[in-house]
Amino acid sequence: MSETGLSTLEFLDGNDAIMRAALDAGCTFFAGYPITPATSLLLAAIRDMPSVGGIAVQTEDEIAGISMCIAASMTGRKTMTATSGPGLSLYSENIGLAIMAEVPLIIVDSQRMGPATGGATTQGEGDIQFARWGSSGGYPLIVLAPRDLKSSYELTLHAFNLAERYRTPVLLLTSKELSLTRQSADTSRWQRPELINRKQFAGSLEEFLPYRVDDGEEVPAFLPFGAEAQVRFTTSIHGDEGIITNDIVKRRRKLEHLANKISWDKPGVSLYAADLYSEADTLIISYGLAAQASVDAARQLRGYGFRVSSLVLYTLWPVPEGIISEVLGEHKNIVVPEHNNGQYLRELERLSFEQNRFVAVQSFDGSLISPAEIIQAVSEEPPLLLGAAND
Amino acid sequence: MTRPATENVYIERQDYPFCPGCGHGLILNALGSALAKLNLPPKDVAIVTDIGCVGLSDAQLKVHSFHGLHGRSVAYASGLKLAQADLHVIVLMGDGGTGIGAGHILAAARRNMDISVLVFNNFNFGMTGGEHSATTFNTAMTTTTPTGNPEMPFDIAATVTANGASFVARKPSTDRDLFDVVAQAIATPGFSLVDIWELCTAYFVPANQFTGRMFREYAERSGMQMDILTDKRRATLGAYMQQLIETAPPRAQSIPLPISFRHSLKTRRGLITAGSAGGKVKSAVGLLARAAIMSGLAVNQKDDYPVTIKSGHSVSTLILDPQPILYNGVAQPDAVLLLTAAGLQRIGAQLASWPQDVQVYAETSLTLPPTKARVKRFDSRNLSRELGKENIALAVVASVLLEQAYFPLKALKTVIVKRMKVEYREQALAAVESVAEQSIFEQ
């Protein structure tokens, strides 16, 4: 119930929540190519965009989809595209361009079983490392992963805010189960963070340089294509003028800027839900769909008298190292359920302390990890070591 | 024809970084003159450059410039134009770009995207070392066709002409009126393309003893038309989009589901409804789901169907829970509705493992594998005859609701009245009322 006493219960799926948030964020441009389980976002955009004065295009392929969104973003619009693993593969080169040219852009990847065409209607969350390392050069971007309808809505808004603030592509990693499962939800409980719009250039037009980062600023100030001042945009290594350069100083400055502008300790970047139980020695770290079973399992285990903490990560990249280091230091046994072959476990192990023992709970055959499997992993004595399990 | 001499409004610097004798500089000069002839405000002009030597052009210009990935220039140009209709968007791409990006060019022509494409066509890859491109003439020598090109050249101008372009021309870069044709292309509302033939003095010229005098001869030999191929008008995609916006209804508001009924559940229930595609399984279960929400339950509906949609199984799994739902797997259902053979085939393997507390409602003609689950039967032929084929699933769902008494049948009827399209509503209500009067299950 809302505060007005009117019902705010609805029946909708994860993609519905994402598109609602996109429109609420002020997104007015969507271009994409049909692919299960992301297609309903394209359909919703085609249906809804004209109503908000926006444009939605079904493109000839995924490459055109992301290309049009990138260009539209440079006219000042907030833009979104959506695909699944096969399409994300085709986005790869343009994701690199969006990083290089500092383009605010939302990319939804509704994951399904891979590799390649894999299982079109089968669950999978195997694009975790691909999302981060899928473009050449290895420069960072932001990757968020919702776990339910509420976080699908809220993280989409955060994604737009982060894209605008840091002039970067932001990937939203959802999956078939979340995209297509219809659920009841009290939408009045969804939080709406204040909207952030990219910083506009406010100086005199003769002084505008499209890639100059002023002292104390995080990113270059923006002017759209069509502005009175000349706007240059380039995929090539460039200086402040937006022109390809061989100048080693300019090159280094640009690349250091790209490497440093996105990190876990920048404002608004590290999003998570920590539910820490004092004096617990066991911690479940989860994200995406496995977070649902993890939170369920933690709740059940506490009901049985076990002391168990839970950390749900909403930001996957950059790895929220602050909170992870903190909780790894406070716990011994770390249970890591994932719907893949342990793609985030390696990030956690990288940050681990001597006392930490990791227990992996993994499913990549399309079946869902259940709370019972997690409870079993937690209560096994001694805890199963990942190394031992792989021998 | 005199060329306007005001290039410097649009061209920053004419110290072009191209090889001596390369045609690229001639084309950039023609572009500057064309823009001057049209007297376009520089702020309204956006140049999109592709990859290759032509990609060096953007640094020479005084208008907005967008230098993107190889082959994708037409897609970026389309995005710019759709997002900012006031821009005049001009693509500068090489023949290499027309090969790797052919799909985008075709799509832009079919859409009649209001952009102009200038193809800097010198029949080979200049930047990477003289390899053959999509437009290399048959038998021509390049570094990757050392015994002569075995492929036929891509007739880009004829192709876009055949696919809906508004203005298409083919011109040698050396023609004095090139600027005028470029101006016509830019002024055309809709997709325009000028295939501009030129010399690559680094590779193609020496490899083929090629000269500018051979353009027309090669065109004839390859069956390609020079000069203006088409000049016509039709609606652009941008105009279509604008019309959609002007005639769009206000943004749709969600219709909430008020809690108006009481449920009887203490713990979670899982229902699997298994039928065939086209059997309205998803819809019937969706109505039950909404009725459950209106009865204060948390609900989760997962649908399973093959990619073919209109054939094979259609299975909906519904969770009803008095508590919020986190994990939404159903290891063992409480009730299973088996409507058709396709549905049985999809979930039948699980039947053997289900214990006695699973209640199965199965169509009477289905042969079930051995199971400990309790089974009730119904005859779908009767339902089809009495209630209509499209109401079978709903009739069975309503009957199970009556049996299991999760919440009042009235909740389901309310959802039907409020949510179903008027043309289906009467029959659906009649079906629900009919099964309430007389059970469909065999005694």
Side-chain angles (χ1 to χ4, degrees):
Chain A
M1 291 285 164
S2 70
E3 284 166 15
T4 58
L6 293 171
S7 168
T8 45
L9 291 169
E10 295 184 49
F11 187 47
L12 68 178
D13 66 29
N15 285 356
D16 292 331
I18 288 172
M19 185 50 73
R20 184 177 299 181
L23 297 174
D24 288 352
C27 175
T28 59
F29 195 96
F30 183 101
Y33 187 81
I35 184 169
T36 307
T39 307
S40 57
L41 284 165
L42 169 63
L43 298 180
I46 296 279
R47 182 194 64 212
D48 292 339
M49 275 300 166
S51 296
V52 296
I55 303 276
V57 196
Q58 181 184 330
T59 50
E60 58 274 23
D61 57 25
E62 283 91 345
I63 296 173
I66 186 171
S67 296
M68 283 198 198
C69 286
I70 286 167
S73 179
M74 296 316 288
T75 71
R77 289 180 186 252
K78 293 185 182 179
T79 71
M80 181 164 90
T81 184
T83 189
S84 188
L88 189 66
S89 307
L90 295 176
Y91 283 4
S92 163
E93 194 183 10
N94 264 310
I95 291 173
L97 174 144
I99 291 171
M100 173 64 99
E102 306 194 53
V103 183
L105 167 68
I106 307 305
I107 299 165
V108 181
D109 173 18
S110 180
Q111 300 165 94
R112 61 193 220 188
M113 177 188 276
T117 302
T121 57
T122 311
Q123 173 63 9
E125 291 184 316
D127 299 349
I128 308 301
Q129 290 286 342
F130 182 47
R132 169 60 184 85
W133 299 106
S135 77
S136 60
Y139 287 86
L141 74 172
I142 296 172
V143 181
L144 308 180
R147 65 180 177 106
D148 56 9
L149 293 182
K150 185 172 188 284
S151 53
S152 295
Y153 178 84
E154 293 172 2
L155 290 183
T156 303
L157 287 172
H158 282 292
F160 275 98
N161 279 352
L162 290 167
E164 292 287 312
R165 176 164 190 172
Y166 295 104
R167 285 191 59 169
T168 180
V170 178
L171 257 150
L172 196 65
L173 285 184
T174 180
S175 65
K176 177 261 166 185
E177 283 289 335
L178 190 46
S179 280
L180 302 185
T181 302
R182 285 190 289 175
Q183 306 179 49
S184 52
D186 182 351
T187 54
S188 71
R189 301 179 69 163
W190 294 356
Q191 303 285 316
R192 292 157 178 82
E194 199 173 320
L195 293 183
I196 296 172
N197 295 312
R198 69 192 76 167
K199 186 182 160 52
Q200 301 284 321
F201 178 77
S204 76
L205 291 175
E206 303 81 62
E207 284 169 21
F208 175 69
L209 289 174
Y211 288 103
R212 186 176 66 202
V213 183
D214 289 333
D215 289 344
E217 294 295 332
E218 290 158 331
V219 295
F222 179 86
L223 278 182
F225 273 72
E228 293 289 341
Q230 181 188 25
V231 177
R232 292 188 192 276
F233 173 102
T234 181
T235 176
S236 295
I237 182 70
H238 52 266
D240 294 352
E241 313 79 14
I243 294 174
I244 188 169
T245 180
N246 286 319
D247 183 327
I248 190 82
V249 176
K250 287 183 177 179
R251 287 182 163 200
R252 192 182 299 136
R253 191 166 66 218
K254 172 74 188 190
L255 295 175
E256 281 174 356
H257 164 65
L258 290 183
N260 296 334
K261 80 169 178 178
I262 291 163
S263 66
W264 63 268
D265 53 352
K266 291 285 171 73
V269 170
S270 287
L271 302 168
Y272 54 84
D275 182 10
L276 306 177
Y277 198 96
S278 62
E279 292 171 42
D281 69 349
T282 298
L283 164 71
I284 308 171
I285 300 184
S286 61
Y287 60 87
L289 206 68
Q292 295 297 85
S294 299
V295 172
D296 201 325
R299 205 168 281 179
Q300 288 188 45
L301 282 161
R302 288 175 190 176
Y304 302 145
F306 291 96
R307 283 179 295 193
V308 177
S309 294
S310 163
L311 175 66
V312 175
L313 299 175
Y314 291 125
T315 301
L316 297 184
W317 303 101
V319 175
E321 296 186 8
I323 182 69
I324 290 174
S325 294
E326 189 185 320
V327 297
L328 288 181
E330 289 168 355
H331 296 81
K332 190 176 113 191
N333 301 323
I334 314 298
V335 181
V336 188
E338 296 186 81
H339 287 112
N340 56 53
N341 47 4
Q343 294 190 16
Y344 214 70
L345 182 61
R346 58 171 60 223
E347 302 304 323
L348 302 175
E349 284 178 324
R350 175 167 74 73
L351 297 168
S352 65
F353 298 91
E354 208 172 320
Q355 87 235 22
N356 291 143
R357 294 205 285 179
F358 288 94
V359 184
V361 183
Q362 295 166 359
S363 167
F364 35 88
D365 60 3
S367 62
L368 298 186
I369 295 169
S370 67
E373 289 169 84
I374 296 168
I375 289 167
Q376 196 190 351
V378 168
S379 52
E380 264 173 27
E381 269 302 324
L384 184 65
L385 284 165
L386 179 72
N390 284 349
D391 282 346
Chain B
M1 217 169 290
T2 350
R3 217 170 65 192
T6 49
E7 285 100 338
N8 59 4
V9 175
Y10 306 97
I11 306 230
E12 175 104 53
R13 31 198 294 175
Q14 281 180 294
D15 57 337
Y16 298 131
F18 310 120
C19 301
C22 169
H24 285 14
L26 294 175
I27 304 176
L28 289 182
N29 287 342
L31 171 64
S33 300
L35 292 170
K37 179 179 177 182
L38 297 170
N39 198 25
L40 298 177
K43 77 170 202 66
D44 290 343
V45 178
I47 302 289
V48 182
T49 57
D50 212 273
I51 294 289
C53 297
V54 67
L56 301 171
S57 305
D58 54 333
Q60 311 298 124
L61 303 169
K62 256 192 207 172
V63 294
H64 303 300
S65 64
F66 187 115
H67 179 55
L69 302 179
H70 189 32
R72 316 303 165 201
S73 47
V74 170
Y76 301 125
S78 301
L80 281 178
K81 183 66 188 181
L82 286 171
Q84 176 49 277
D86 294 338
L87 288 172
H88 293 270
V89 183
I90 302 159
V91 173
L92 311 183
M93 71 193 307
D95 40 302
T98 69
I100 188 173
H104 307 309
I105 299 172
L106 266 184
R110 292 190 296 106
R111 293 177 185 134
N112 204 25
M113 276 305 314
D114 188 9
I115 61 173
S116 304
V117 179
L118 306 185
V119 183
F120 288 49
N121 185 356
N122 59 14
F123 320 111
N124 70 174
F125 287 77
M127 187 169 262
T128 49
E131 300 83 5
H132 76 291
S133 76
T135 66
T136 305
F137 303 114
N138 186 241
T139 74
M141 307 298 279
T142 70
T143 53
T144 45
T145 55
T147 58
N149 183 23
E151 302 173 12
M152 293 302 290
F154 174 29
D155 188 339
I156 172 78
T159 303
V160 296
T161 299
N163 282 280
S166 288
F167 179 89
V168 182
R170 177 177 283 126
K171 293 288 283 182
S173 61
T174 43
D175 277 13
R176 292 184 59 84
D177 64 342
L178 174 64
F179 83 94
D180 199 44
V181 173
V182 170
Q184 282 184 67
I186 294 169
T188 299
F191 184 81
S192 60
L193 182 143
V194 187
D195 178 16
I196 305 167
W197 287 13
E198 47 159 354
L199 300 178
C200 177
T201 51
Y203 296 103
F204 199 81
V205 163
N208 295 282
Q209 290 83 49
F210 198 68
T211 70
R213 279 189 216 99
M214 292 155 83
F215 286 144
R216 289 192 184 265
E217 175 200 327
Y218 268 72
E220 205 164 308
R221 215 174 75 191
S222 305
M224 295 189 195
Q225 189 187 331
M226 296 299 283
D227 304 310
I228 293 170
L229 278 77
T230 192
D231 187 3
K232 58 181 190 246
R233 300 292 177 266
R234 68 181 177 94
T236 65
L237 186 70
Y240 167 80
M241 292 287 180
Q242 199 49 47
Q243 199 174 8
L244 285 183
I245 290 170
E246 280 160 18
T247 57
R251 182 180 164 189
Q253 298 297 311
S254 53
I255 308 162
L257 296 155
I259 299 178
S260 316
F261 305 94
R262 277 194 192 174
H263 69 81
S264 64
L265 294 185
K266 299 262 186 304
T267 55
R268 176 182 286 203
R269 293 286 185 277
L271 276 77
I272 298 177
T273 306
S276 296
K280 303 256 179 212
V281 172
K282 273 170 65 181
S283 323
V285 175
L287 292 168
L288 187 67
R290 289 186 173 86
I293 294 171
M294 292 185 71
S295 306
L297 289 165
V299 170
N300 203 298
Q301 180 183 353
K302 205 180 292 192
D303 302 315
D304 169 36
Y305 46 86
V307 287
T308 43
I309 302 287
K310 286 281 186 192
S311 75
H313 65 272
S314 176
V315 177
S316 282
T317 301
L318 185 70
I319 298 172
L320 307 175
D321 201 322
Q323 301 299 322
I325 299 168
L326 286 163
Y327 170 69
N328 69 0
V330 175
Q332 180 188 305
D334 300 281
V336 179
L337 290 59
L338 282 173
L339 302 176
T340 66
L344 174 62
Q345 195 179 6
R346 181 64 178 174
I347 65 161
Q350 301 169 55
L351 266 174
S353 67
W354 288 335
Q356 204 187 344
D357 40 349
V358 175
Q359 177 67 59
V360 173
Y361 303 93
E363 209 284 323
T364 193
S365 66
L366 297 174
T367 308
L368 304 186
T371 178
K372 293 197 188 76
R374 287 168 291 147
V375 179
K376 286 192 177 188
R377 295 285 191 170
F378 61 89
D379 187 340
S380 65
R381 284 166 306 176
N382 286 345
L383 296 176
S384 179
R385 196 165 48 241
E386 289 162 21
L387 309 172
K389 188 164 163 278
E390 60 284 357
N391 291 308
I392 296 172
L394 179 60
V396 178
V397 162
S399 301
V400 170
L401 174 59
L402 279 166
E403 281 250 321
Q404 298 282 339
Y406 304 128
F407 49 81
L409 188 71
K410 200 174 171 206
L412 182 62
K413 292 207 280 192
T414 304
V415 169
I416 290 169
V417 170
K418 298 220 159 146
R419 292 300 167 106
M420 274 189 108
K421 283 185 182 155
V422 64
E423 58 265 41
Y424 307 123
R425 194 184 294 159
E426 290 300 312
Q427 276 207 337
L429 266 186
V432 170
E433 275 157 11
S434 159
V435 301
E437 276 167 29
Q438 192 182 354
S439 173
I440 66 165
F441 299 117
E442 293 165 8
Q443 297 304 309

